[in-house]
Amino acid sequence: MGFSAAARLWGPPGLLLTFVLHPALCLRPAQTSAPPRRDYCVLGAGPAGLQMAYFLQRAGRDYAVFERAPRPGSFFTRYPRHRKLISINKRHTGKANAEFNLRHDWNSLLSHDPRLLFRHYSRAYFPDAGDMVRYLGDFADQLGLHVLYNTTITHVTLNKDRQAWNGHYFILTDGMGHAHRCSVLLVATGLSVPNQVDFPGSEYVEGYESVSVDPKDFEGQNVLILGRGNSAFETAENILGVTNFIHMLSRSRVRLSWATHYVGDLRAINNGLLDTYQLKSLDGLLESDLTDLAVVKDREGKFHVTLKFFLEEGNQSADTITLPQDDSDNFAMRVAYDRVIRCLGWNFDFSIFNKSLRLSSGGEFSKKYPLVRASYESKGSRGLFVLGTASHSVDYRKSAGGFIHGFRYTVRAVHRLLEHRHHGVAWPSTQHPISQLTSSIVRRVNEASGLYQMFGVLADVVLLKENATAFEYLEEFPMQMLAQLETITGRKARHGLFVINMEYGRNFSGPDKDVFFYDRSVGHTEDAWQSNFLHPVIYYYRHLPTEQEVRFRPADWALPRPTAIHHIVEDFLTDWTAPVGHILPLRRFLENCLDTDLRSFYAESCFLFTLTHQKLPPFCQQGYLRMQGLVGTESLWRHGVESGLLRDYAIVGRRREDQGQGPLSSSQAPGPPVQPLDSNKEEL
């Protein structure tokens, strides 16, 4: 275009034309192009969301975390209301092994930075919730995680697209009306909606989320608490010393964590009211279904508990409603209450998710948790994963998946699954000669934190190579996905496999059992299968179990019936390194499964095996016959000479001297090989 043409276009006539067209330009419809797309969207910058962000960032993936608050960990800015966490901060274990120490660190997230361990943020065994907020903030900042703060996602739906990874994109709309498009959606919003029971008079009930935390507000009052979990007992503990009495009402019995081995049940730090109840100091616990009850307020503002049945008899004033004590003067709750407090736990917030995502079936349990598979992927929408506390339906009342010290490992498992599915990165593994199988298992059961905390959920898998000459070791795989192992991991299980799991005894724990019974400990190796406390269990399969075998496994079995199974006897110190009690039975079990000898030998013994056996132990095959060194001993050399495989250089040397040829040179002189095959002694 020449200068004159440009002048005609941009000169005064051109400007005039622009002004004339301006209204028309303004009337054009808004741009309809698709919103910018990210590979991964993470909802929530709590512990689970930040943990996933860390793994995505380390892998170099395209992601963003959406957080409605100005800082991470917004849940912990309000809860627990009385600010004391019940996740233990065990700063000392007597060991320097970082992986082992994570077994007893319930607050740290996984990272490569040793400065980002929670023990640097609090010295308290039960830390303050404010310390968690500070820790999560530093975790996000120091690792440079991509978090969009002050961004509230108000609606989530999906858009079908054959070109998308999962056949659709997830469309997230924020409070400003901006849309965000994601290939994979990772929901880490936790449980944030207070659980409420609708009964007559429920409008008089104060919620845990808003009730006063100042004990002075309860001086000399009669208090009724609805619920029987840690939030209920935490509330009671706060006001126990100032009230007239506290009654606690729930449909279920108290479940003590030390009796059930479930960290979400009532913890000892909060159970002071159990003492005052059992020692008859006015406080008390009662069992009743809340849906059968009603709360009535009298003229003085006091609250009375009655039965819903009495209210349904007809319209009555509060002062004329029949109370249970009218029929029974021994009714347990005939006293009037000054306060009624609801502490019934939390539910998942389904409100922002379109029904097309099918996160809930409408059943009772799915009102609390989204519907997910054992891989933590939604049953209704491929590519939607639920992380953290909201994923606890997979191991509810069974393991620690609803808490930081559990879901930090399940988040890592989900990331590994995504790495293979979308980026072709196989599940991490290490390969070893079969002679190292025993030591590999012993090391993991003695130090691995993921196995220890996510017992019964995550397990190590050993994939055997052809002829059992070597093996591939995979860590912390979701056990219930075992039938799909090859698809999920990119690894092959063609020649048999071992699954290493941690388990409690099946009849050891429960709310109705005495877990302190006499002779509860099992100490003899032959009785290891009866071990009550947490201990390693090894399953051997000749073939990978099928989906049907996993689904229809025997009741109370973590996995389908294996070809063989071995329990390592429980240990008071959780230290499974005893040569006779732990290692020897394990090695013999593995040898029986593989029909081989897994012991380690000196090269001298391997030399003797070559003379007397057709089949050598794997240790000798992989070392001695590959010329990886021999132990230079006089007896080994003598065996060689006597067998005719080596020349007796002492005789040769004397002959040379007799013939006047001089001594042998250093290259000719006898001498033992310089590198030992292995410095370990032969095992039992």
Side-chain angles (χ1 to χ4, degrees), residues 118-140:
F118 193 83
R119 62 186 176 88
H120 300 308
Y121 287 78
S122 174
R123 301 178 64 88
Y125 191 67
F126 293 106
D128 186 273
D131 295 328
M132 177 59 72
V133 176
R134 188 163 52 92
Y135 170 72
L136 295 177
D138 283 358
F139 190 89

Side-chain angles (χ1 to χ4, degrees), residues 421-438:
R421 178 187 288 185
H422 298 304
H423 308 288
V425 179
W427 195 282
S429 70
T430 54
Q431 295 195 33
H432 309 274
I434 200 67
S435 57
Q436 296 181 19
L437 179 57
T438 305

Side-chain angles (χ1 to χ4, degrees), residues 157-176:
T157 187
L158 52 80
N159 184 20
K160 300 286 185 182
D161 191 326
R162 293 182 179 179
Q163 301 301 316
W165 285 351
N166 298 293
H168 52 250
Y169 290 109
F170 297 95
I171 307 299
L172 285 60
T173 305
D174 63 30
M176 301 296 291

Side-chain angles (χ1 to χ4, degrees), residues 225-241:
I225 296 178
L226 306 180
R228 193 152 301 169
N230 280 294
S231 62
F233 277 89
E234 167 204 328
T235 302
E237 195 77 15
N238 184 52
I239 59 177
L240 199 59

Side-chain angles (χ1 to χ4, degrees), residues 306 310 319-329 331 334:
T306 185
F310 292 143
D319 294 328
T320 60
I321 292 175
T322 304
L323 298 177
Q325 55 263 39
D326 296 337
D327 294 330
S328 172
D329 58 7
F331 177 57
R334 59 186 180 272

Side-chain angles (χ1 to χ4, degrees), residues 408-475:
R408 60 192 178 194
Y409 303 105
T410 61
V411 168
R412 182 164 62 185
V414 170
H415 177 253
R416 288 170 172 172
L417 181 157
L418 292 171
E419 282 292 291
H420 178 247
R421 178 187 288 185
H422 298 304
H423 308 288
V425 179
W427 195 282
S429 70
T430 54
Q431 295 195 33
H432 309 274
I434 200 67
S435 57
Q436 296 181 19
L437 179 57
T438 305
S439 59
S440 295
I441 294 176
V442 169
R443 180 183 64 84
R444 285 289 294 172
V445 300
N446 278 288
E447 67 180 44
S449 55
L451 280 183
Y452 192 84
Q453 294 295 0
M454 289 307 298
F455 56 89
V457 178
L458 299 181
D460 285 2
V461 180
V462 171
L463 304 178
L464 298 171
K465 299 300 183 181
E466 188 174 6
N467 298 325
T469 57
F471 66 91
E472 197 170 10
Y473 203 106
L474 282 65
E475 297 178 359

